[in-house]
Amino acid sequence: MSRICKAAAIGGGVIGAGWVARLALNGIDVAVFDPDPEASRKVGEVMKGARRAYRKMAPGGLPGEGRVTYAKTIAEAVTGADFIQESVPERLDLKHKVLAEIDAHASRDALIGSSTSGLKPSDMQAAMERPERLVVGHPFNPVYLLPLVEVVGGDKTSRKTIEKARSVYASIGMKPVVIRKEIEAFVGDRLLEAVWREALWLIKDDITTVEELDDIMRYSFGIRWAQMGMFQVYRIAGGEAGMRHFIAQFGPCLAWPWTKLTDVPELTDELVDKIAAQSDEQAQGLSIRELERIRDDNLVAIMEALSKQNKGKGWGAGALHKDYTKQLAKAAAKDVGKGKPANVAKSKG
């Protein structure tokens, strides 16, 4: 398994900061570049939440936290880094500018990953002299807890880079899934976009409210998806005859005009105001940081519960969680044996 010695995070927004947290809490030094003067504060807030979550997640201990530094330029951040994750806004012209600069200053054998949630890697590679070392490494928020990363290569990405990316992401406790064909928005966001689009219609047409819609998801199929996904759940729904019976029984429904997935509601000021007002009411005065803590506690609890299933071997994300916490505890013990500072799990703050 490939190991990261030094990492660079280009972009310190929600996703970029999540990468910083995951890397640092795996004991990896991270150099951050973000022109936002508030970047260090914002990343610090995410780090604070991530530390709290990791203490709950890994009672067996954590390795000594990696050092997070802030560079004044992209060149300074990527110098000496063997893994670089770009997480700048979703504008192709900006991606071209940033990736060209990363490419010009990064070590020749450095792996470059992009957090883009929709742009095709082939389109981003156009600005690079060494495009073969770029992959999309698309994570899900919060990056420091959710393990999935979609790995997508472009036309010029080498097979060696794909395999290296798979190994590198796995080394920090992630579940890399290599997407077989390059498409916009990959797989996860394709599914999310379809659900999001239909949800917007349901709100616009006053069929339900944002809180009621979230309740419908989290009290039913959301729980099923969390541990079995879609196809295995539907296999069970087919009874003893399995998937073939399920498709035969429910397949014809797909031709019925139930959904509006091929149409998009106009995001008028009225619709935006309706959604925002209902969302404010749903939050019941809880701040974003308070909601993040609740979310993180719930995610840790779900993964912890899944880690005890399947006769103790773990199931789904729980099996990976079980192995990841063991990996962190092993790294913590190794650091203590080397006389390094006390691990994060036992520190205050």
Side-chain angles (χ1 to χ4, degrees):
M1 184 180 291
S2 298
R3 298 288 181 183
I4 304 167
C5 295
K6 179 189 174 185
I10 309 303
V14 173
I15 297 300
W19 279 113
V20 173
R22 180 174 280 271
L23 290 161
L25 291 171
N26 272 271
I28 299 164
D29 292 341
V30 190
V32 183
F33 171 77
D34 191 311
D36 182 356
E38 290 282 291
S40 62
R41 181 189 65 78
K42 293 176 181 178
V43 172
E45 288 293 326
V46 173
M47 284 292 303
K48 189 185 301 181
R51 288 189 192 101
R52 178 180 177 278
Y54 266 55
R55 292 190 191 104
K56 287 178 173 287
M57 183 179 77
L62 295 166
E65 188 171 309
R67 185 166 171 254
V68 178
T69 57
Y70 294 86
K72 295 181 180 178
T73 63
I74 289 176
E76 180 186 342
V78 304
T79 297
D82 50 5
F83 171 65
I84 301 154
Q85 187 76 21
E86 168 272 309
S87 306
V88 304
E90 295 284 82
R91 291 190 353 243
L92 187 57
D93 61 332
L94 179 59
K95 297 283 191 186
H96 281 168
K97 180 181 177 182
V98 169
L99 288 169
E101 194 164 352
I102 292 172
D103 192 37
H105 297 284
S107 301
R108 288 185 60 82
D109 58 352
L111 173 68
I112 302 172
S114 174
S115 299
T116 181
S117 59
L119 297 175
K120 292 167 70 173
S122 291
D123 293 337
M124 295 189 292
Q125 286 174 325
M128 302 176 69
E129 291 292 328
R130 298 195 62 203
E132 70 278 0
R133 58 180 172 162
L134 174 72
V135 295
V136 164
H138 173 231
F140 289 78
N141 187 42
V143 181
Y144 51 83
L145 283 182
L146 292 184
L148 183 70
V149 57
E150 293 179 302
V151 177
V152 191
D155 290 338
K156 298 178 180 177
T157 305
S158 70
R159 189 68 225 173
K160 180 180 178 182
T161 295
I162 293 290
E163 292 307 315
K164 182 178 181 180
R166 191 202 300 262
S167 181
V168 163
Y169 288 123
S171 76
I172 52 174
M174 304 193 83
K175 173 66 174 178
V177 174
V178 176
I179 306 304
R180 296 168 181 270
K181 293 184 180 180
E182 181 186 26
I183 57 170
E184 290 91 347
F186 325 124
V187 176
D189 279 357
R190 287 285 185 106
L191 295 171
L192 288 173
E193 192 260 355
V195 175
W196 171 241
R197 189 183 302 221
E198 186 67 13
L200 290 176
W201 278 116
L202 292 168
I203 302 301
K204 179 182 183 299
D205 293 343
D206 293 318
I207 307 299
T208 189
T209 66
V210 297
E211 182 171 10
E212 291 164 351
L213 190 143
D214 282 351
D215 283 348
I216 287 166
M217 296 181 77
R218 68 195 183 112
Y219 285 94
S220 62
F221 55 84
I223 302 174
R224 298 189 313 205
W225 286 355
Q227 47 93 29
M228 275 194 174
M230 181 183 291
F231 281 90
Q232 198 161 45
V233 162
Y234 284 165
R235 175 183 177 83
I236 295 170
E240 292 183 0
M243 182 60 79
R244 291 184 184 279
H245 176 67
F246 177 83
I247 292 175
Q249 185 174 6
F250 295 102
C253 301
L254 297 175
W256 300 349
W258 281 355
T259 66
K260 297 184 179 181
L261 294 179
T262 57
D263 199 3
V264 187
E266 183 182 355
L267 291 174
T268 61
D269 289 344
E270 181 183 9
L271 179 55
V272 172
D273 288 344
K274 177 193 288 189
I275 293 171
Q278 291 181 8
S279 180
D280 289 344
E281 183 178 354
Q282 180 187 19
Q284 297 183 346
L286 293 171
S287 70
I288 294 297
R289 297 303 177 199
E290 288 171 322
L291 288 170
E292 284 178 342
R293 288 193 289 272
I294 293 169
R295 174 203 66 190
D296 289 358
D297 287 350
N298 291 341
L299 289 174
V300 170
I302 290 168
M303 290 190 289
E304 180 65 23
L306 289 175
S307 74
K308 298 174 183 176
Q309 303 308 307
N310 195 23
K311 298 180 180 179
K313 292 184 288 188
W315 181 268
L320 183 63
H321 171 84
K322 190 181 187 77
D323 289 342
Y324 185 37
T325 53
K326 285 181 179 178
Q327 175 184 319
L328 292 170
K330 185 176 179 181
K334 189 175 181 180
D335 277 357
V336 170
K338 291 180 178 179
K340 291 188 177 180
N343 64 53
V344 178
K346 296 179 181 178
S347 65
K348 296 180 179 180

